[in-house]
Every structure is written in structure tokens, then in C-alpha cells.
Amino acid sequence: MEFKNLTFEKDGKIAIVTINRPKALNALNTETFVEIGNVVDEISKDNEILVVIVTGAGRAFIAGADITEMKDMNTEGGRGFGMLGNEVLRKLENLEKPVIAAVNGFALGGGCELSMACDIRIASSKAKFGQPEVGLGITPGDGGTQRLPRIVGTGMAKELIYTAKMIDAKEAYRIGLVNKVVEPDDLMKEAKDLANSIAVNAPIAVKMCKAAINKGMQCDIDTGLSYESAVFGLCFATEDQKEGMTAFVEKRDKSFKNR
Ligand code: CAA
């Protein structure tokens, strides 16, 4: 599949998606959202890929949704654009493979929101995060009002969203928005090391963990625990469960087959 606003490469079991729209600091226009949805579909069907890294080309991760495209939208257009963004980011969030955001620079508005639809965020020390929307006369439209409070808590999310202020990587780490801050030159190596440390494990079990955590964060604990018991049970139908436990008992290296 050909893409105009992103690149997609495979490095062993890892897929690397790089948003690349330099003239607008990788801002998300309709075309880019559609391409992200398409690349997620492609990754979803590719059984060789076990972990995904999303990053940005140049000095930005993603500087938000495209303001030039949004400027003259009416209510219907704005709602449609927001729905497209939410649909695409939800698809990314629900992808049955872990996704790491390697945040190299500006992650503002839709960029911060895209990073929050990923499972784990690692930031370069040059990264900047923020939800600047109220300064533009709009609300966050790609899940910021929903995911940010779930990640950093309501008070901190409200402060960031109401003030539209930008925070640096250190502050993002302090409030729990990112897992780790690394030197810019080390960002992709750190992201790949993390991806590889996930990829060595049983893929179906990892996939089930993602589903259980995502589901459990949105429901009461009893429903979440019963979901966990169900996926725990399902793992016993996999070859990889037999392999993982047999290898342990036989004191040998395991070899998972994603089956
Ligand atoms: N949309 C469209 N174009 C953008 C853009 C965006 N979100 N962000 C940057 N650009 C463009 C600039 O217009 C500029 O284009 P020209 O060279 O043609 O003038 C180019 O990218 C470089 O940007 P700057 O010259 O502004 O670079 P800078 O280093 O001075 O500033 C910045 C960088 C602080 C990120 C600044 O560009 C900025 O504030 N961008 C907008 C950030 C923003 O408000 N994002 C939220 C958008 S709303 C949203 O995302 C809603 C939602 O939830 C769905």
C-alpha cells in the first residue's frame, strides 16, 4: 500500500510507522487520518508484526490536527472531522498488538491524543506535550477530554486542557503521561529495545493482556476480573502456553509460535 503522509517499515517483528508531513509539522489532515487507519488495517492483518512503534519525522511528533483544514469548517464538518479522528485513534487503540509512541518532538492536540491512544509513550527530552485547543476556540476532538484524565487524573487533565499550556518531557514524565524520557539520539533504540522485550513473549498472551487492561479500565472491577478469567482460560488453548510452561519445566529456552 502506498502512503503520502507516512512511512511504514518492518524491522523483524516490529513495524515502524513514521508520520511524515513536514510542511505542517506532521499535522493530521483528513488524508493523513485515512492513511493511519489504512496502515493500522495492514498491520492488523500481518502476522509477522508483533509490536508497533509510531513516531514522527523531523522536529515534530504531530503538531495537532490540521488547523488550515479546520479553519472554515461548520458544525457538521467539525463533527465529521472529530468523528474520523476518534474512529482512527480508536482503531489504533484496539489494534491487537502493543503500540509504542516514540515521541520525538511536538505532540500537541491531535498529536498528544494519538500518543495517548498508544499503549506506552517514550519521549525524547525535546518532546513537548499539550492540548492547545481552547486557545483556538475548540475542545480537544480526538479523545483528549477522555483519555488524558484516564491517564493523568482529572485535576491534572483539566489544568492542561483549560490552560492550553505546553509541558516539556520532564513534566510529562512527572505527571505519568510518559513512561520514560531519553536523549533524542537514543529514542528509536530505546523504543525498539522495549518493542523487542515485548516481542519475545507469547503474542497471544500479550494481545489478551492488552484487551483485558483496556476493557478493565472502562468497567467495574467484577466485570474486569471475569473478563480476565475468560482470557486466562483461553490462553490454555494455545500452543504457546504449552511451550512456555514446558520450557520452564524442562529448563530450556522457549520458542513461541504465535499459535
Ligand atoms: N496545522 C496546520 N499547520 C501547522 C500546524 C497545525 N496543527 N502546526 C504547525 N503547522 C505549520 C505552520 O503553519 C507552519 O507552516 P508554514 O511554514 O507554511 O508557515 C509550519 O507548520 C511550521 O510551524 P511554525 O512555523 O509555527 O513552527 P514553530 O517552531 O514556530 O512552532 C508549534 C511550532 C509551536 C508546534 C506551532 O507550529 C504551533 O503552535 N502549531 C499548532 C499547534 C496546535 O495548536 N495544535 C492543535 C491543533 S487543534 C487539534 O489538534 C484539535 C483536535 O484535537 C482534533
Side-chain angles (χ1 to χ4, degrees):
M1 200 179 282
E2 289 292 305
F3 300 103
K4 273 168 65 183
N5 304 294
L6 59 85
T7 59
F8 165 49
E9 58 186 295
K10 279 163 67 171
D11 180 358
K13 296 171 175 174
I14 302 166
I16 301 167
V17 175
T18 306
I19 311 299
N20 186 14
R21 209 178 153 238
K23 66 173 181 182
L25 295 182
N26 305 331
L28 302 167
N29 60 355
T30 297
E31 192 178 60
T32 309
F33 273 125
V34 170
E35 289 190 0
I36 294 170
N38 290 342
V39 82
V40 172
D41 285 339
E42 193 166 326
I43 290 169
S44 165
K45 286 186 229 136
D46 188 331
N47 286 333
E48 281 176 6
I49 299 170
L50 298 184
V51 185
V52 183
I53 297 172
V54 181
T55 191
R59 64 191 176 98
F61 176 67
I62 295 166
D66 191 305
I67 299 169
T68 315
E69 183 175 344
M70 287 185 291
K71 187 172 101 26
D72 296 321
M73 282 179 184
N74 59 15
T75 303
E76 202 183 327
R79 193 155 66 100
F81 189 60
M83 282 166 65
L84 170 68
N86 273 327
E87 192 186 300
V88 169
L89 297 200
R90 191 75 173 133
K91 186 186 277 199
L92 178 68
E93 187 168 47
N94 285 333
L95 179 67
E96 293 183 327
K97 303 164 197 258
V99 183
I100 299 165
V103 182
N104 52 302
F106 294 112
L108 303 174
C112 185
E113 291 167 309
L114 186 142
S115 80
M116 293 190 289
C118 299
D119 296 283
I120 296 170
R121 285 154 294 285
I122 300 188
S124 142
S125 55
K126 285 192 176 156
K128 299 257 191 293
F129 294 81
Q131 296 290 158
E133 287 87 350
V134 295
L136 295 162
I138 55 173
T139 66
D142 293 332
T145 61
Q146 303 306 304
R147 292 192 183 94
L148 189 58
R150 283 168 165 84
I151 294 171
V152 302
T154 316
M156 194 56 80
K158 285 181 173 172
E159 183 179 333
L160 284 171
I161 291 172
Y162 297 172
T163 61
K165 76 177 180 191
M166 227 192 274
I167 56 169
D168 62 17
K170 210 166 136 196
E171 176 67 355
Y173 177 72
R174 192 188 71 79
I175 65 173
L177 182 55
V178 303
N179 290 35
K180 194 171 185 181
V181 181
V182 300
E183 287 306 311
D185 287 346
D186 298 336
L187 180 65
M188 288 313 287
K189 187 188 172 306
E190 290 274 350
K192 284 181 191 174
D193 285 351
L194 176 60
N196 281 316
S197 68
I198 296 170
V200 293
N201 294 311
I204 297 171
V206 172
K207 171 172 101 175
M208 299 289 191
C209 290
K210 174 167 178 171
I213 294 168
N214 283 1
K215 220 172 198 59
M217 291 310 290
Q218 317 303 337
C219 64
D220 66 276
I221 188 154
D222 290 322
T223 309
L225 289 174
S226 88
Y227 189 82
E228 185 188 80
S229 299
V231 294
F232 181 70
L234 281 174
C235 289
F236 289 82
T238 66
E239 286 178 30
D240 286 348
Q241 174 269 328
K242 305 289 175 246
E243 168 61 13
M245 294 193 180
T246 306
F248 175 81
V249 170
E250 292 177 355
K251 301 190 190 305
R252 61 165 171 82
D253 287 342
K254 64 215 168 191
S255 168
F256 291 127
K257 299 275 186 310
N258 197 6
R259 288 201 295 258

